[in-house]
Amino acid sequence: MESVERIIPGPHPAVLLRSAEDVFRAMARTLAPRVGARLIAAATLAQLHQEGQEASGYLKSVLCSLDAGGPLPQVPLHWPLVEVETCLNAALRAINGQGDVPQVRVEVACSWDARMKAFGPSKADLTIRLGYLQARQALHAFVGGARPNREEAGLLQQRLEALSGDMQPVQSGSATSLPGMSLRPALRFMGRAESLGYGWHSADWAQRLKDLLNVQLDFTDRPLRLATGCSGAEAPHFALQQLVGHRGFEQMWGSEINENPRRFILKNCSCQHLFEDVCFVMKGGGRCARHGGHCTVPSGEIDIFIGGFPCTPYSFCNPKRFKRNCFTEPAAAPFFEMRKFIAERRPRLVILENVRGLLAPNPETDSSPIDFILRGRNPENPEDCYQGTAPNADWGLSLIEGYGLRWDILYSCDWGLPQSRPRVYIVMVRDDAGGQAAAEHVFEVLSACAGRMPRGSCNDFLFPDEHPQLVAATKHWASKPGPGSGRRACTKFTEALFRTKRQELGLDPKDRPYSGNRPAGWCLGQS
């Protein structure tokens, strides 16, 4: 991947996304939220139909899925470059039309060639850069990059919608603009997963995972030492309970600034200390909710450190997300404290997690938040530096010597939950514990095991309509007055994302499929 990243010119290193994607999803990273992957795919198939060409390979599977009203199929495990080029050329013919403004060009950096492969017009209003890894036969998108302005995105959206036909939900028996392909399902479904009955059907995920890997994890002689930052509901604690048992690990400490999660942790987890702020850790101690007073941070080696630093500065739901540098917000401080902890205490394994907004542009800078998190340094102006640190000080996780690092996006739907919930996971392994090879192997194992857990549907987590608790709650809320005007609205960017997702699923803005007032045409628990 680094060989491809070095091909991209510019003052800042390019960052290639670790997850392989198809042409439509990769292009939509630049053109969204107005132009989504499904719209590009539908317009591409319509373009081929106009040209009298038949879809083949991956495009044929896209046609079959859209015709059935389903989502875009997953990218092929091994996607030859010749098929990628065919798909790219067809998509660009659909996007660029008859030469109308704006024009889009795609440049692909290939792992075996120092030159960029170019597709589309030489003079374009927008250039999308992608990477192709020959060893994996996989297409990848780059983080960040130029994006169309609102006017350009609107023109592209109109052009593609005109080509692909009416984007409103297709009713049963109505005609479509493209024979053999309905852009919206005639019968809409709640979700892609099948209902398996009430309950969580992957509750035994730990044993399933150990069976898949054919391993037994026994650490009773020397329990693993765990520490967590911004602990939340302390998911790592419960995960290790299922993986290695209560006697297989001991939690040295956790840290959580919010009171309700602290109460939950104190009631359900056996951590030695629960500090009320992760910043207390690097100070050597602070107020501990477990003991009700000042406690010293336990010394000694930490085997596993897991932290989900606050997502507020990077989330699309934050109205200030695209107005100022993410790392100047107070909520960004826990990342700096965690980085200091990793560099000083040097745990054997580090897992950090955050939202996909890390990959979006960072205002007031030339890079995305993930670029700073991986390779960043303090600015030259001391006033802009994190408190108590010097100008040009290293902050990037990859700059900590003696560690291997790998990161990727993982989806909850691959692990037995009926939700997509894409999250960026960063894994660091100390060199004497396996280093870079071990960090790479973690994601190889995750990739091999993903999708093997039964996830059921969202309805499996809901009470049946006649359940007494649901009936009582419905009556209770029916007696309450309607929502007032004090509810905070989403950001315009988030509203656009929701609008695009509703469009992809064929949802009307007034549809509420998960409430009791479901519109006609919804089928619960079908795929």
Side-chain angles (χ1 to χ4, degrees):
M1 289 189 173
E2 292 181 357
S3 62
V4 173
E5 293 173 341
R6 286 195 292 267
I7 298 174
I8 303 299
H12 299 279
V15 179
L16 194 68
L17 289 173
R18 267 45 184 176
S19 53
E21 294 183 317
D22 58 76
V23 165
F24 309 118
R25 290 184 176 94
M27 296 179 73
R29 286 187 177 275
T30 298
L31 302 177
R34 285 185 176 271
V35 179
R38 199 169 190 270
L39 177 57
I40 301 174
T44 301
L45 293 171
Q47 179 70 29
L48 291 176
H49 178 74
Q50 287 186 359
E51 297 170 352
Q53 299 185 39
E54 290 188 3
S56 60
Y58 177 68
L59 285 173
K60 186 174 182 179
S61 63
V62 172
L63 175 61
C64 294
S65 183
L66 293 187
D67 185 35
L72 288 179
Q74 292 299 313
V75 62
L77 186 60
H78 299 290
W79 203 12
L81 182 60
V82 62
E83 285 195 25
V84 174
E85 292 177 345
T86 300
C87 197
L88 269 174
N89 284 319
L92 285 173
R93 292 198 301 273
I95 290 173
N96 291 327
Q98 302 299 319
D100 302 326
V101 175
Q103 291 286 290
V104 177
R105 169 186 173 93
V106 174
E107 294 179 349
V108 180
C110 300
S111 56
W112 69 91
D113 193 346
R115 295 174 298 177
M116 304 277 287
K117 284 182 172 289
F119 302 86
S122 56
K123 294 183 179 180
D125 303 282
L126 179 68
T127 298
I128 301 174
R129 284 174 171 159
L130 308 175
Y132 184 83
L133 303 181
Q134 180 61 31
R136 301 182 182 179
Q137 289 190 301
L139 184 71
H140 297 254
F142 281 95
V143 175
R147 304 180 69 88
N149 58 40
R150 181 179 300 179
E151 182 180 358
E152 291 174 338
L155 291 173
L156 288 173
Q157 180 185 17
Q158 294 173 13
R159 186 184 305 166
L160 293 177
E161 288 182 354
L163 179 61
S164 58
D166 184 10
M167 295 302 294
Q168 296 301 315
V170 177
Q171 301 302 319
S172 179
S174 63
T176 63
S177 61
L178 181 58
M181 185 186 72
S182 58
L183 300 180
R184 286 291 175 264
L187 188 63
R188 295 174 293 169
F189 298 99
M190 182 72 75
R192 287 177 285 172
E194 292 187 4
S195 174
L196 301 176
Y198 178 69
W200 182 28
H201 304 282
S202 289
D204 60 343
W205 65 269
Q207 189 58 51
R208 288 175 180 267
L209 183 61
K210 288 186 282 188
D211 291 343
L212 283 171
L213 300 176
N214 193 26
V215 296
Q216 295 296 326
L217 304 177
D218 186 359
F219 293 93
T220 53
D221 292 337
R222 197 287 201 181
L224 297 170
R225 298 187 181 98
L226 170 70
T228 62
C230 300
S231 305
E234 203 57 86
H237 185 100
F238 295 106
L240 280 176
Q241 277 187 6
Q242 295 195 52
L243 282 170
V244 301
H246 292 273
R247 298 171 57 193
F249 78 103
E250 55 180 342
Q251 184 165 358
M252 309 305 292
W253 51 265
S255 59
E256 175 55 51
I257 198 170
N258 294 312
E259 183 177 357
N260 285 338
R262 286 202 304 265
R263 290 179 178 176
F264 176 85
I265 294 171
L266 291 173
K267 185 175 181 179
N268 296 281
C269 302
S270 56
C271 55
Q272 295 182 15
H273 297 276
L274 180 59
F275 295 103
E276 297 183 3
D277 194 331
V278 71
C279 297
F280 293 159
V281 175
M282 290 312 298
K283 295 178 181 177
R287 183 168 179 79
C288 174
R290 172 70 70 187
H291 300 93
H294 186 282
C295 287
T296 302
V297 176
S299 58
E301 186 170 42
I302 297 294
D303 295 312
I304 304 174
F305 174 73
I306 301 176
F309 51 98
C311 66
T312 309
Y314 325 105
S315 173
F316 295 149
C317 297
N318 181 1
K320 300 177 182 178
R321 170 62 178 85
F322 295 102
K323 295 182 180 179
R324 67 182 186 185
N325 187 339
C326 299
F327 295 100
T328 60
E329 289 202 25
F335 163 73
F336 293 100
E337 295 297 327
M338 290 183 189
R339 200 276 185 190
K340 288 160 63 176
F341 170 81
I342 296 167
E344 183 172 315
R345 296 288 296 269
R346 301 186 63 80
R348 287 179 173 167
L349 171 65
V350 175
I351 301 175
L352 300 179
E353 172 269 346
N354 215 291
V355 295
R356 194 164 52 176
L358 290 179
L359 311 181
N362 187 15
E364 303 178 6
T365 71
D366 297 326
S367 60
S368 59
I370 189 67
D371 188 55
F372 180 86
I373 286 170
L374 296 178
R375 306 183 177 100
R377 289 183 169 86
N378 260 348
E380 296 182 357
N381 185 357
E383 296 181 356
D384 296 330
C385 297
Y386 183 65
Q387 54 188 7
T389 61
N392 296 316
D394 291 343
W395 282 116
L397 296 171
S398 66
L399 303 178
I400 302 177
E401 295 184 358
Y403 278 91
L405 183 147
R406 169 77 191 275
W407 68 276
D408 208 336
I409 297 177
L410 300 179
Y411 295 80
S412 295
C413 58
D414 291 331
W415 299 96
L417 288 172
Q419 62 172 168
S420 57
R421 195 175 178 84
R423 291 294 184 268
V424 174
Y425 284 86
I426 303 170
V427 172
M428 301 173 64
V429 183
R430 208 170 65 191
D431 284 350
D432 61 355
Q436 187 63 38
E440 295 282 349
H441 190 59
V442 167
F443 284 95
E444 290 173 3
V445 170
L446 291 174
S447 177
C449 296
R452 296 175 181 265
M453 308 285 179
R455 69 182 179 208
S457 74
C458 294
N459 304 294
D460 296 348
F461 291 79
L462 305 178
F463 286 136
D465 289 344
E466 66 278 3
H467 195 280
Q469 291 187 35
L470 181 60
V471 173
T474 302
K475 291 181 178 178
H476 172 76
W477 289 109
S479 65
K480 298 287 185 180
S485 58
R487 183 178 178 182
R488 187 172 63 178
C490 299
T491 64
K492 292 182 178 179
F493 187 85
T494 306
E495 289 176 352
L497 286 176
F498 289 166
R499 186 166 55 249
T500 301
K501 179 57 67 176
R502 283 180 170 274
Q503 217 178 40
E504 289 181 3
L505 298 175
L507 283 170
D508 185 86
K510 296 181 180 179
D511 284 351
R512 297 291 183 269
Y514 295 108
S515 69
N517 302 318
R518 285 183 284 270
W522 280 89
C523 293
L524 300 183
Q526 299 189 28
S527 60

